[in-house]
Amino acid sequence: MEEALLMEIDNQVTSDALPFARSYQLEALDKAIRENTIVYFETGSGKTLIAIMLLRSYAYQLRKPSPFIAVFLVPKVVLVGQQAKALEAHTDLKVGAYWGNSRVDLWDADRWKQEIAKHEVLVMTPQILNDCLRHSFMKLKMIKVLILDECHHTRGRHPYSLIMTVHTCISEAVIREFIPIATPKFKFYKSNALGIVSQGLAINLNMLKEQHELLLRSPDFTTPAAESAEKNIMQIFHDLIYCLEDLGVWLTLKAAESLSSNDTGCLSCGNSANKIVNKFGLATVRELKTHLPSSSQWSIGDNMKYDVERELLTSKVCCLIDSLLEYRDLTDLRCIVFVERVITTIVLPALLNVELPKYHRWKTKFVAGCKIGFQNQSRKEHKEIVEDFSKGLVNIIVATSIFEEVLDVQSCNLVIRFNPCHNVCSFTQSRGRARKRHSDYILMVKSGDSVTCSRLEKYLSSGDIRRKESLCHSSLPCDPLESDLFHEETYRVESTGTIVNLSSSIDLLHLYCSRLPGDGYFKPTPRWDRETGTLYLPKSCPLPDIPVQSDRKILKNIACLEACKQLHKIGALTDNLVPDIAVEEEEVVEFGNEPYNEKQPSYVPLELVNQVLKHSETTYHCYLIELKQNFSYDITVQDIYLATRAELNREIASMQFDMGFDKGTLSVSFIHKGTIRLSPHMVFLCKKFQLTVLRILLDHNTDRLQTALEKCCLEDGLEIDYLLLPSIVKDQGTIIDWRTVHSVNSSDIVCKDHTPNIWTKDGLACRCMLQNSLVNTPHNGCIYITIGMANSDGNSPLELRGGEVITYKKYFEKNHGTQLYFEHQRLLTAKRIFQVKNYCHGRRQEKDREATKTFVELPPELCCVIMSPISFITIYSFSFIPSIMHRLESLLVADKLKMYMGSCLLNEIHTLKALEALTTKRCQETFNYESLETLGDSFLKYAATQHLFQTYQNHHEGLLTLKKDKIISNAALCKLGCSCGLPGFIRNEPFDPNTWIVPGDKSGGLKLEELVFDGTKFYVSGKRNLKQKIIADVIEALIGAFLSSGGENAALLFMDWVGIKVCFDIIPYERHFSTCAEKLVHISLLESKLKYSFRDSSLLVEALTHGSYMLPEVTRCYQRLKLLGDSILDYLITVHLYEKYPGMSSGQLTDMRAASVNNDCYAWSSIKAGLHKHILHVSQDLDKHINEALGVFYKLSSSSTFGWDIDIETPFPKVLGDIIESLAGAILVDSGYNKEVVWRSIRPLLEPLVTPETFKLHPAAELHILCQRRNYTLKEDLYREEDVLNCTIKVETNDGVIHQHKYRGLADRRTAKKLACKEILKSLLQQTHRK
């Protein structure tokens, strides 16, 4: 069925039979509603419309929650979206579209169940439905309507084979009334037999082919590489000979240039046999150019007769041009030229775009398959060309027969068959592309070719013949399908009804093997030995070889069916008989796509939250915050009292930490001093005191203070409830300075020794009250702390910065417009109050300018007293309080997490270590979780891998990796973290004193919410954004924290608490291995290299067996052991670096691990120890690449096995690095999972290990850091052209100098980037030296 008539559907119509449907369409609809029907109409007669009306009539039985569905099958992927879009546009049914590239082959029964529950019509390719039925993802009884588009494709065992009755129209005339059908026309051209010129040219091209094939006999090329190159040369040669015969010399040259330019683009780099192919292509271009006219006046197409005589063009090409020019008067030409070969589609437009514009402004383009090997076109490009064709921007499309069913343009009015149709299907389909009325269908035929003419005439009359035959049988019931040639044995899964038989078992086994892990040197496939009747399976398959005996004709089928049975019984095939890895992959994808809400709570310590008691005394636990200056300064600090409603944990109450300062550090410690009981009045007074001091220090003005004081009243309700009070040393002890606390009510304090006689802004005050007070000067909005009386008054001279001297009185009048009325009063000596800073990061602060400024003199009459008496030292000490309390709050939250996790974990970790694990780098403190996260990540990876390795002994490496990822992925860890309430404990914001919540301050509108999680009460101050990765990193950091504090058992206890279930109980490693290991590898020599004696030497054989080694004596390859060894080495090296260099920064540990744990380092160690000589493999390419790696090794002659200094373009074969990992895994298993034994054995191979002194950053990281520091612009561009990688790194300095390096070659992305960045760094260094 095609999309014809859909363009006529303008509006959604509610009736089943659309009002503009033709009589034959209604007749077919009626037939289809009543019984199974084959609708036989010509292309463009509106069969899609019939399908739409049929679905409308069944819609009431399909709408959810109905269990039934309709399935619309189309034979080609490109038609899936086209028909789905049509159904969505013209029905109200929910439509789903499915094809192979959308990864539906990875879906399991649950996913299909979701799709069926979501959609009412499923549009798909037939193979997908076939697979779904075979795997019992769907049942036939679920399908209420089954529509098969283009059912004439049904042949043999095609999925379209169903029982139907037939319905068609009586004659073509019925359709002609409504649907335009192209008028056929024959065009004849003279024979294209090779002339003298072309014959000579063909001989020369053959000689060139033989010369270049001879070059491939060189021993420099491996057999597979030479064979592949020879095949490419042969293909190019055949394409060129074909062009010579069909198109002529000029178009053959264009073909050669096209093929050569492709080779040049993708094969110019690297030592490859493809270089010979490239040379052959260039040689053909040179040869063909010698046969073109040398005159500068000559141009192709100027004299067609001359061009044909010189064999530059064939008469067939001229016939095509003449046929097109017959339509030169057509204002809106839309022509499709169907050709036989892809190469013809590419070169013909080159001529048409030269010749046709001489007569008309026509534009020609070509469309070819997406995988044509050269000048690839994507589906997007196809779509754009067809859209331009529909709009008239392109007039002529040259296409191959693959597009006979796809190109669907209603305005197409001409179709030309450059090559004859080979069958009636091709004839019908290509004719149907001409959709417009009065369109033509031109058939180009060689003169005298009566056979072709006769065949095409039969095609023209075949429509009436088939129609008459179908009408004769339309009333007869169809015979049942014949049985297969033999009664097939089947295997049925009872739980799902899924069946595999002798015929389908081979495909199923190949599907299973295709999902096994492989590498660049082998692809896992089953191997059938006909002589012995044995099926050999890849080493990563858990089954042994399968020998069978039976009828030799079906022996292979029987073996494959038996393999499928056994794979299902051990779980390698699911109950739907799909590879288990496909289900795991789908689960991983779905797991990663689960929704996550980034808005996460932020917990407030319970000890600092309470309800205010309005009518009774309150008990507070008092803690002295001892402050110790570790530097010399003219201002000292005094201790401060912290009073909390709840008693703090002993570990917190005895905590000590340092704060950064401009001159050094300030040590902070806590001492419990007992309890006090305060009346509501005293509680209010204390809160007013701390609120006033802290608001003044934070704001440096009184704007918010008045509002805060007005709301500072005792109310029943939750709030941040603790007190911060000044201290005073008395009788060799430190007590609360209540006199200073009362200073907040300075107007209530009466001096007993002096009479108030000094005028202030508020009235008269005594001298002693003004000497130590906090004052505000409204004339400039500043706040000062006074420390005494000066010897000067308003008439005293004041020297300004410019050297001018005036009186204080004149200064204030001139600069502030303020008149001094009490000019004879002595001035106050004062200083501005201190800046509150973030002292949590531990770095030395920038010098505080205001703290070191000269004292200022203030006229008392300009001052408003805020607090009095209060000392300068008290104000200074309170400036540290926000940072101190922020650290204490963080410690209390970390301590709460310890208690929340339960008594079994409470004593396994220090609170400071827990806080480190909860603190992100974004907080900018002296510690963060990165080092612990690196440590925890390595242990988690190892623990999960060991658990899976032992638990699933039949699972291959790919499946184990997926299962491991489901445990350790960010999505999985984040989900576990959220399920146990972990996000609220995480600290992810840098401390900002200005946003710190002052206890008792209600002006900010803070509302605490109570949250009960798993029976535990928390208080939430609000929500912030947390990425999934942060939560996952914190879990890994906590694993690292427990590991470093309490060992592996503590880490495992935490992992169990968070929901990561792993077991370290040792389970025997069972394998089938009957061959003597000594016959395969040199056991004693390898044990001496490894300094370890194997109890089970078969483990050593397995560790050295590559997947390509398909010989039966070894049953497994090294992949499983490699996975285990990778995890244990990663863990051991991380622990080594973490413990040996405890002073490293968090980022340095990560960088040093990356420099130590990588394939190049392991491969280098493998070669150095001579392990490459013992690898069991049968890959020629691997052998070649190992020899190349040996050459690099001996050339560099370095003992280093770490870092990024190995300047090699092609990375070492991964197999060399894999061997180090697999040997580590083998030793781990053989030693009973003794990690110390593994480290003693493998460490000497890796020596010398990286140290902080020898460590070098990766060039890419070094360049990135350099550009950030110097504010350079860094740009990178990586893209691949076939096998060649292009990597361009560009750096622009601040003075406009551009440093650029482009790598072009066969390296991988990581290596290419490393080499390019190293060159840029060298260039920048040279520029620095020149300066």
Side-chain angles (χ1 to χ4, degrees):
M1 280 178 283
E2 301 296 334
E3 202 180 358
L5 286 189
L6 290 181
M7 300 301 292
E8 301 177 28
I9 302 176
D10 297 321
N11 301 302
Q12 194 86 354
V13 184
T14 56
S15 60
D16 293 333
L18 299 180
F20 48 79
R22 313 304 184 188
S23 59
Y24 67 87
Q25 292 169 326
L26 296 176
E27 182 184 354
L29 173 64
D30 178 65
K31 191 79 170 177
I33 290 173
R34 287 186 284 106
E35 59 187 356
N36 293 336
T37 307
I38 295 177
V39 178
Y40 170 61
F41 289 153
E42 275 71 8
T43 299
S45 57
K47 296 186 288 292
T48 300
L49 179 59
I50 301 171
I52 290 172
M53 292 190 294
L54 181 62
L55 289 172
R56 282 168 169 262
S57 66
Y58 274 90
Y60 72 99
Q61 298 185 56
L62 301 174
R63 293 192 179 95
K64 300 304 176 189
S66 167
F68 299 112
I69 56 172
V71 176
F72 195 126
L73 300 180
V74 293
K76 296 191 177 181
V77 170
V78 71
L79 296 174
V80 174
Q82 178 178 307
Q83 298 291 29
K85 189 182 296 183
L87 297 179
E88 285 179 337
H90 305 298
T91 71
D92 62 352
L93 297 171
K94 298 173 182 174
V95 182
Y98 311 93
W99 62 93
N101 288 345
S102 57
R103 295 176 63 85
V104 296
D105 54 326
L106 303 181
W107 291 359
D108 58 6
D110 289 337
R111 177 60 186 275
W112 277 111
K113 188 176 180 180
Q114 295 173 17
E115 294 297 317
I116 292 169
K118 194 163 47 174
H119 299 110
E120 294 152 344
V121 182
L122 280 62
V123 184
M124 60 181 66
T125 51
Q127 186 58 48
I128 293 175
L129 178 62
N130 186 48
D131 291 341
C132 287
L133 293 173
R134 189 179 72 184
H135 295 299
S136 293
F137 296 152
M138 295 182 196
K139 305 287 186 183
L140 272 175
K141 61 183 180 181
M142 301 165 52
I143 303 174
K144 182 62 67 173
V145 181
L146 180 60
I147 300 173
L148 294 87
D149 191 2
E150 305 289 357
C151 71
H152 57 270
H153 287 283
T154 305
R155 298 182 186 89
R157 301 183 61 82
H158 194 282
Y160 269 175
S161 297
L162 298 171
I163 302 173
M164 292 174 272
T165 55
V166 182
H167 180 80
T168 185
C169 288
I170 296 176
S171 70
E172 189 177 280
V174 177
I175 301 176
R176 279 189 178 276
E177 294 181 25
F178 310 105
I179 304 299
I181 297 177
T183 302
K185 294 183 179 180
F186 284 88
K187 292 286 184 180
F188 297 95
Y189 59 89
K190 294 181 180 180
S191 173
N192 287 333
L194 289 180
I196 297 175
V197 174
S198 298
Q199 288 177 8
L201 190 51
I203 293 171
N204 293 343
L205 291 176
N206 187 59
M207 290 174 59
L208 288 173
K209 176 180 75 72
E210 292 175 351
Q211 290 171 8
H212 288 81
E213 286 174 342
L214 189 61
L215 294 175
L216 292 172
R217 304 293 185 269
S218 168
D220 294 338
F221 307 115
T222 62
T223 301
E227 289 176 351
S228 175
E230 188 170 346
K231 183 178 178 182
N232 290 336
I233 289 175
M234 184 63 71
Q235 182 62 51
I236 293 173
F237 174 74
H238 285 315
D239 282 342
L240 297 181
I241 296 300
Y242 174 83
C243 290
L244 268 178
E245 295 176 352
D246 219 38
L247 307 176
V249 174
W250 193 81
L251 286 173
T252 304
L253 172 61
K254 295 301 174 185
E257 288 174 344
S258 176
L259 295 168
S260 176
S261 64
N262 169 70
D263 289 340
T264 302
C266 67
L267 303 169
S268 59
C269 295
N271 183 18
S272 169
N274 283 323
K275 281 187 174 181
I276 306 300
V277 183
N278 185 26
K279 289 180 180 178
F280 173 68
L282 295 173
T284 60
V285 171
R286 290 192 295 269
E287 176 64 27
L288 286 162
K289 283 183 176 179
T290 62
H291 290 76
L292 294 185
S294 57
S295 172
S296 59
Q297 303 298 321
W298 174 83
S299 177
I300 192 69
D302 287 348
N303 186 335
M304 299 292 283
K305 184 178 178 181
Y306 172 82
D307 292 340
V308 172
E309 289 174 354
R310 292 290 301 270
E311 301 178 31
L312 299 173
L313 296 175
T314 62
S315 59
K316 183 177 181 179
V317 172
C318 293
C319 179
L320 172 65
I321 294 175
D322 290 340
S323 298
L324 286 168
L325 291 178
E326 288 180 10
Y327 297 86
R328 71 182 72 179
D329 296 330
L330 196 63
T331 56
D332 195 16
L333 177 70
R334 301 284 197 288
C335 173
I336 303 174
V337 180
F338 283 110
V339 300
E340 187 176 49
R341 298 277 189 101
V342 171
I343 191 66
T344 310
T345 66
I346 295 173
V347 299
L348 260 185
L351 176 65
L352 298 182
N353 283 324
V354 170
E355 186 64 20
L356 297 182
K358 299 175 182 177
Y359 307 95
H360 208 292
R361 297 176 62 184
W362 287 338
K363 185 175 182 181
T364 306
K365 285 195 175 182
F366 76 91
V367 288
C370 297
K371 298 179 180 179
I372 59 177
F374 48 87
Q375 297 198 15
N376 286 353
Q377 287 182 328
S378 65
R379 297 192 187 279
K380 182 181 178 182
E381 288 174 310
H382 290 167
K383 185 178 178 182
E384 290 173 351
I385 292 172
V386 174
E387 286 178 354
D388 289 345
F389 186 61
S390 301
K391 298 173 183 176
L393 302 176
V394 172
N395 304 94
I396 302 168
I397 287 181
V398 183
T400 55
S401 59
I402 194 173
F403 289 91
E404 288 172 354
E405 297 179 53
V406 177
L407 290 174
D408 187 13
V409 179
Q410 301 294 321
S411 56
C412 179
N413 50 20
L414 178 61
V415 171
I416 301 178
R417 290 292 319 200
F418 188 72
N419 299 101
C421 307
H422 292 290
N423 52 59
V424 69
C425 178
S426 176
F427 176 88
T428 305
Q429 293 288 4
S430 58
R431 183 185 181 188
R433 295 312 98 204
R435 293 297 185 87
K436 199 170 183 180
R437 285 190 183 278
H438 311 299
S439 55
D440 290 337
Y441 180 49
I442 295 179
L443 300 162
M444 292 178 55
V445 184
K446 183 170 59 176
S447 298
D449 189 354
S450 57
V451 175
T452 301
C453 282
S454 177
R455 186 177 78 245
L456 294 177
E457 287 169 354
K458 287 181 181 179
Y459 292 165
L460 284 170
S461 60
S462 62
D464 287 331
I465 296 172
R466 291 195 306 274
R467 188 172 297 103
K468 290 174 183 177
E469 289 179 352
S470 63
L471 287 171
C472 292
H473 295 284
S474 62
S475 60
L476 299 177
C478 292
D479 294 329
L481 293 174
E482 293 183 3
S483 301
D484 290 324
L485 295 176
F486 49 84
H487 296 290
E488 289 195 280
E489 180 186 350
T490 61
Y491 176 69
R492 178 184 178 87
V493 181
E494 294 301 326
S495 61
T496 61
T498 307
I499 293 174
V500 59
N501 54 30
L502 290 173
S503 300
S504 61
S505 61
I506 296 177
D507 288 341
L508 180 56
L509 187 61
H510 275 276
L511 173 64
Y512 170 77
C513 291
S514 70
R515 307 311 304 276
L516 296 173
D519 58 25
Y521 303 107
F522 86 104
K523 292 182 180 179
T525 55
R527 182 170 63 88
W528 171 247
D529 189 337
R530 182 180 298 179
E531 297 299 324
T532 62
T534 304
L535 178 66
Y536 294 101
L537 297 167
K539 301 299 181 189
S540 48
C541 175
L543 294 183
D545 302 330
I546 299 177
V548 291
Q549 292 181 348
S550 184
D551 184 352
R552 296 190 67 84
K553 291 182 180 179
I554 58 173
L555 204 57
K556 180 178 178 181
N557 301 68
I558 294 173
C560 289
L561 182 59
E562 180 61 28
C564 293
K565 290 180 186 178
Q566 294 185 30
L567 287 169
H568 174 251
K569 289 177 181 178
I570 65 174
L573 291 175
T574 68
D575 284 348
N576 293 108
L577 295 183
V578 296
D580 47 3
I581 193 171
V583 178
E584 290 285 345
E585 286 174 343
E586 183 62 24
E587 289 178 359
V588 169
V589 171
E590 290 181 3
F591 195 74
N593 292 334
E594 286 186 8
Y596 164 71
N597 184 7
E598 290 188 354
K599 294 289 183 182
Q600 295 292 341
S602 179
Y603 297 155
V604 177
L606 269 69
E607 297 87 343
L608 305 183
V609 177
N610 223 311
Q611 285 187 321
V612 177
L613 302 179
K614 190 173 182 180
H615 302 293
S616 60
E617 289 188 340
T618 306
T619 300
Y620 284 91
H621 296 266
C622 293
Y623 299 88
L624 183 65
I625 305 175
E626 286 191 329
L627 304 178
K628 179 184 177 182
Q629 287 174 290
N630 300 318
F631 53 86
S632 299
Y633 193 43
D634 56 353
I635 307 172
T636 58
V637 291
Q638 68 179 24
D639 301 337
I640 297 171
Y641 267 96
L642 167 67
T644 62
R645 296 278 295 276
E647 186 174 3
L648 304 183
N649 181 288
R650 280 188 181 180
E651 185 182 359
I652 301 296
S654 59
M655 192 70 65
Q656 179 177 344
F657 49 84
D658 292 338
M659 297 288 180
F661 192 59
D662 57 344
K663 292 178 171 52
T665 59
L666 181 73
S667 296
V668 181
S669 56
F670 293 82
I671 301 175
H672 188 219
K673 288 291 186 177
T675 60
I676 57 171
R677 291 181 62 83
L678 298 177
S679 66
H681 171 74
M682 287 302 296
V683 171
F684 174 73
L685 180 68
C686 293
K687 288 190 174 184
K688 186 178 179 181
F689 167 80
Q690 68 183 14
L691 182 59
T692 303
V693 172
L694 292 170
R695 274 270 63 93
I696 291 294
L697 280 168
L698 290 168
D699 301 336
H700 278 225
N701 57 58
T702 58
D703 295 345
R704 290 182 59 184
L705 178 60
Q706 191 58 40
T707 304
L709 290 174
E710 290 173 357
K711 293 187 177 183
C712 183
C713 55
L714 300 180
E715 295 178 354
D716 293 330
L718 287 175
E719 65 173 62
I720 305 294
D721 183 19
Y722 61 89
L723 305 176
L724 294 161
L725 305 173
S727 69
I728 189 172
V729 178
K730 195 171 186 180
D731 299 331
Q732 297 183 346
T734 304
I735 61 173
I736 297 174
D737 184 359
W738 291 110
R739 184 170 183 268
T740 300
V741 173
H742 281 84
S743 69
V744 72
N745 293 331
S746 57
S747 59
D748 297 338
I749 300 176
V750 179
C751 181
K752 298 179 181 179
D753 301 325
H754 304 92
T755 301
N757 59 357
I758 301 176
W759 283 100
T760 68
K761 197 78 173 175
D762 301 319
L764 288 171
C766 69
R767 176 177 178 176
C768 60
M769 293 293 294
L770 291 176
Q771 284 184 339
N772 290 287
S773 62
L774 192 66
V775 300
N776 174 34
T777 52
H779 69 276
N780 61 0
C782 294
I783 295 178
Y784 300 89
I785 180 76
T786 64
I787 57 175
M789 303 295 293
N791 293 323
S792 53
D793 58 20
N795 293 318
S796 299
L798 171 65
E799 184 176 352
L800 302 180
R801 288 182 180 178
E804 180 185 0
V805 178
I806 59 174
T807 64
Y808 281 92
K809 180 178 180 179
K810 288 184 178 180
Y811 170 80
F812 283 102
E813 182 178 357
K814 178 180 178 181
N815 290 277
H816 299 286
T818 301
Q819 182 70 38
L820 296 183
Y821 296 101
F822 305 98
E823 56 195 73
H824 298 294
Q825 288 186 148
R826 292 176 61 185
L827 304 178
L828 295 172
T829 302
K831 250 188 166 185
R832 286 195 178 185
I833 59 172
F834 301 90
Q835 291 283 344
V836 176
K837 299 178 181 178
N838 173 13
Y839 299 107
C840 293
H841 49 55
R843 298 190 301 271
R844 302 186 76 173
Q845 301 283 333
E846 293 181 3
K847 191 174 181 181
D848 189 345
R849 296 178 181 177
E850 294 187 356
T852 57
K853 284 178 67 175
T854 308
F855 291 102
V856 298
E857 285 77 33
L858 300 174
E861 62 182 288
L862 301 183
C863 299
C864 297
V865 179
I866 301 172
M867 299 178 70
S868 180
I870 184 169
S871 70
F872 187 72
I873 292 175
T874 299
I875 296 293
Y876 175 60
S877 301
F878 264 79
S879 68
F880 296 102
I881 280 296
S883 294
I884 293 171
M885 290 309 300
H886 173 73
R887 175 62 57 80
L888 178 62
E889 291 165 8
S890 302
L891 288 166
L892 289 170
V893 168
D895 187 64
K896 175 66 176 179
L897 174 62
K898 288 173 55 181
M899 294 185 288
Y900 175 55
M901 288 188 289
S903 57
C904 63
L905 290 170
L906 184 61
N907 298 320
E908 297 289 351
I909 186 175
H910 300 296
T911 302
L912 273 174
K913 187 66 73 173
L915 177 58
E916 181 181 344
L918 294 169
T919 304
T920 68
K921 189 175 182 179
R922 191 164 179 259
C923 293
Q924 301 176 5
E925 300 208 8
T926 53
F927 52 84
N928 61 64
Y929 66 47
E930 286 195 352
S931 292
L932 290 174
E933 183 262 333
T934 302
L935 180 63
D937 168 72
S938 65
F939 180 74
L940 173 61
K941 177 183 172 184
Y942 162 66
T945 304
Q946 178 178 324
H947 167 74
L948 294 170
F949 182 89
Q950 294 195 98
T951 306
Y952 302 99
Q953 298 200 8
N954 284 328
H955 284 15
H956 56 77
E957 179 231 4
L959 194 55
L960 291 177
T961 300
L962 283 174
K963 286 185 175 294
K964 179 191 70 176
D965 291 344
K966 286 172 65 176
I967 297 174
I968 70 173
S969 68
N970 287 342
L973 295 179
C974 177
K975 186 175 183 179
L976 292 174
C978 292
S979 66
C980 59
L982 190 62
F985 295 99
I986 298 174
R987 300 170 65 246
N988 189 42
E989 300 289 337
F991 175 58
D992 182 0
N994 295 315
T995 60
W996 178 66
I997 302 171
V998 177
D1001 186 359
K1002 300 176 182 178
S1003 62
L1006 173 67
K1007 291 185 179 180
L1008 298 176
E1009 297 180 8
E1010 186 176 305
L1011 173 67
V1012 178
F1013 200 97
D1014 198 19
T1016 303
K1017 181 170 66 176
F1018 297 95
Y1019 291 117
V1020 178
S1021 61
K1023 292 192 174 183
R1024 69 277 168 77
N1025 289 337
L1026 280 182
K1027 299 287 186 184
Q1028 272 187 317
K1029 187 178 185 304
I1030 291 176
I1031 299 174
D1033 287 349
V1034 166
I1035 289 181
E1036 292 174 336
L1038 285 168
I1039 293 173
F1042 278 97
L1043 183 67
S1044 62
S1045 297
E1048 289 185 1
N1049 286 335
L1052 290 171
L1053 282 172
F1054 168 74
M1055 288 164 61
D1056 183 73
W1057 175 82
V1058 84
I1060 304 172
K1061 307 298 182 183
V1062 297
C1063 178
F1064 270 19
D1065 294 341
I1066 297 177
I1067 302 173
Y1069 187 42
E1070 298 179 355
R1071 287 137 46 254
H1072 303 285
F1073 194 95
S1074 57
T1075 306
C1076 177
E1078 192 67 51
K1079 293 180 179 180
L1080 298 169
V1081 296
H1082 198 326
I1083 300 292
S1084 58
L1085 176 61
L1086 287 166
E1087 287 180 340
S1088 66
K1089 288 178 179 290
L1090 297 172
K1091 296 181 175 58
Y1092 177 77
S1093 297
F1094 279 87
R1095 289 176 287 187
D1096 180 0
S1097 55
S1098 68
L1099 280 167
L1100 183 56
V1101 176
E1102 182 178 333
L1104 292 167
T1105 303
H1106 182 252
S1108 64
Y1109 193 77
M1110 284 289 287
L1111 301 184
E1113 57 264 26
V1114 184
T1115 56
R1116 281 194 176 179
C1117 63
Y1118 65 58
Q1119 289 170 332
R1120 279 175 52 87
L1121 290 174
K1122 181 206 73 168
L1123 181 68
L1124 181 64
D1126 170 59
S1127 66
I1128 186 59
L1129 286 181
D1130 186 21
Y1131 173 52
L1132 290 173
I1133 291 174
T1134 303
V1135 170
H1136 164 75
L1137 295 172
Y1138 184 84
E1139 293 179 348
K1140 187 167 184 178
Y1141 308 107
M1144 281 194 303
S1145 66
S1146 54
Q1148 195 172 7
L1149 174 63
T1150 304
D1151 292 336
M1152 286 181 65
R1153 182 180 73 162
S1156 304
V1157 183
N1158 61 73
N1159 185 69
D1160 284 348
C1161 294
Y1162 289 168
W1164 192 267
S1165 300
S1166 181
I1167 295 175
K1168 190 170 64 172
L1171 298 177
H1172 62 282
K1173 303 174 183 177
H1174 303 274
I1175 300 174
L1176 299 177
H1177 73 90
V1178 291
S1179 169
Q1180 290 187 7
D1181 284 342
L1182 176 56
D1183 190 61
K1184 176 185 175 184
H1185 291 160
I1186 289 176
N1187 287 330
E1188 290 174 355
L1190 287 172
V1192 172
F1193 177 85
Y1194 294 130
K1195 181 180 179 181
L1196 295 178
S1197 63
S1198 169
S1199 60
S1200 173
T1201 60
F1202 57 82
W1204 318 105
D1205 284 338
I1206 305 174
D1207 286 328
I1208 54 174
E1209 180 176 323
T1210 304
F1212 286 133
K1214 189 175 183 298
V1215 175
L1216 293 174
D1218 290 346
I1219 291 302
I1220 294 290
E1221 294 172 338
S1222 63
L1223 287 170
I1227 294 170
L1228 182 68
V1229 175
D1230 191 70
S1231 64
Y1233 295 90
N1234 189 323
K1235 294 181 284 297
E1236 287 73 20
V1237 171
V1238 176
W1239 188 232
R1240 286 199 302 269
S1241 176
I1242 300 297
R1243 177 175 177 173
L1245 302 179
L1246 304 178
E1247 294 284 2
L1249 293 171
V1250 66
T1251 68
E1253 293 74 28
T1254 60
F1255 167 71
K1256 290 184 179 180
L1257 271 175
H1258 189 286
E1262 184 180 355
L1263 182 61
H1264 182 73
I1265 293 171
L1266 178 67
C1267 291
Q1268 276 191 327
R1269 286 177 180 171
R1270 299 184 181 179
N1271 200 27
Y1272 291 170
T1273 301
L1274 172 63
K1275 293 181 180 179
E1276 60 182 62
D1277 182 26
L1278 282 90
Y1279 62 93
R1280 187 174 291 278
E1281 294 177 344
E1282 295 294 331
D1283 297 330
V1284 177
L1285 184 70
N1286 294 270
C1287 175
T1288 302
I1289 305 295
K1290 179 180 178 181
V1291 172
E1292 183 174 355
T1293 62
N1294 297 327
D1295 52 5
V1297 178
I1298 294 177
H1299 300 260
Q1300 180 172 313
H1301 182 79
K1302 181 174 182 178
Y1303 168 86
R1304 179 175 169 81
L1306 300 175
D1308 58 21
R1309 296 173 67 90
R1310 181 175 60 87
T1311 304
K1313 188 173 179 179
K1314 180 187 80 171
L1315 296 174
C1317 288
K1318 288 192 79 167
E1319 294 302 319
I1320 295 293
L1321 287 169
K1322 289 179 184 177
S1323 178
L1324 289 169
L1325 183 63
Q1326 290 173 359
Q1327 182 189 22
T1328 303
H1329 288 163
R1330 286 195 296 269
K1331 289 183 177 181

